Amino acid sequence: MNYVTLGGVTVGLCILGWDATKWWPGRKQLMKDPAKHAAKLLPWLLSWAYGCLTTLGVAGLIGTASSAVLGLSNWLGDVALVWGVGEQSGQLAARTFIPLSTPGACVVLIGTVVFLASVKKAGDETRGVLKRGAWCGITLGTSAGVAGFAAVPLAQAANWLGDTGYGYVR
């Protein structure tokens, strides 16, 4: 399992803040057409969920890439905390962890193919949104906060989808 540090969570929250600020249409516009603005947020949310799933015990190339992104984010965030604001870093991993089953890992592999195709097909602006969403999911997926708790139902959903789709019986 990958562990996130305080600096890594800070990087993830910075990405979340950046994209939420860029997405926010204003209260008046949001109230006028909430479905339209929610639809604009959907690609980011789906890529966040994908990034989160890649940190939940996935091995191989996908797990290695996810671990590398998490390690780099931890390092960048820890350096920013120590040198930027004079604070110490520390480990902030979630206490609850639900690993992916074999069919759940198959769902993550399918999600990887879909994610890569989406990034390739997307325009420049959406491509950045997708990449930042996955990056944020990787950094916040194993945190001890609310985002970390979202990993539990995501893992359960991926396991259920894989078990159901593959007809897997334990």
Side-chain angles (χ1 to χ4, degrees), residues 19-38 40-41:
D19 281 328
T21 301
K22 288 190 70 152
W23 166 80
W24 181 250
R27 183 181 178 280
K28 189 180 274 189
Q29 289 295 321
L30 187 60
M31 298 301 283
K32 184 176 181 181
D33 194 359
K36 173 185 161 190
H37 296 294
K40 287 183 180 180
L41 190 60

Side-chain angles (χ1 to χ4, degrees), residues 7-151:
V9 170
T10 302
V11 167
L13 291 174
C14 286
I15 295 168
L16 175 64
W18 175 273
D19 281 328
T21 301
K22 288 190 70 152
W23 166 80
W24 181 250
R27 183 181 178 280
K28 189 180 274 189
Q29 289 295 321
L30 187 60
M31 298 301 283
K32 184 176 181 181
D33 194 359
K36 173 185 161 190
H37 296 294
K40 287 183 180 180
L41 190 60
L42 189 61
W44 189 92
L45 288 173
L46 291 173
S47 64
W48 181 89
Y50 165 73
C52 184
L53 284 172
T54 65
T55 65
L56 299 177
V58 176
L61 291 175
I62 297 168
T64 301
S66 178
S67 291
V69 169
L70 182 60
L72 178 63
S73 299
N74 286 340
W75 182 82
L76 286 171
D78 290 345
V79 167
L81 285 175
V82 171
W83 291 96
V85 294
E87 289 296 326
Q88 298 299 316
S89 62
Q91 188 170 310
L92 265 177
R95 290 185 181 88
T96 56
F97 174 64
I98 298 212
L100 292 169
S101 63
T102 300
C106 294
V107 169
V108 173
L109 179 60
I110 294 165
T112 301
V113 172
V114 171
F115 176 76
L116 292 174
S118 299
V119 168
K120 184 171 175 69
K121 183 179 178 183
D124 288 337
E125 185 177 329
T126 306
R127 186 175 296 127
V129 166
L130 291 171
K131 289 177 181 178
R132 287 190 306 272
W135 185 8
C136 184
I138 289 169
T139 59
L140 297 181
T142 57
S143 68
V146 174
F149 291 124

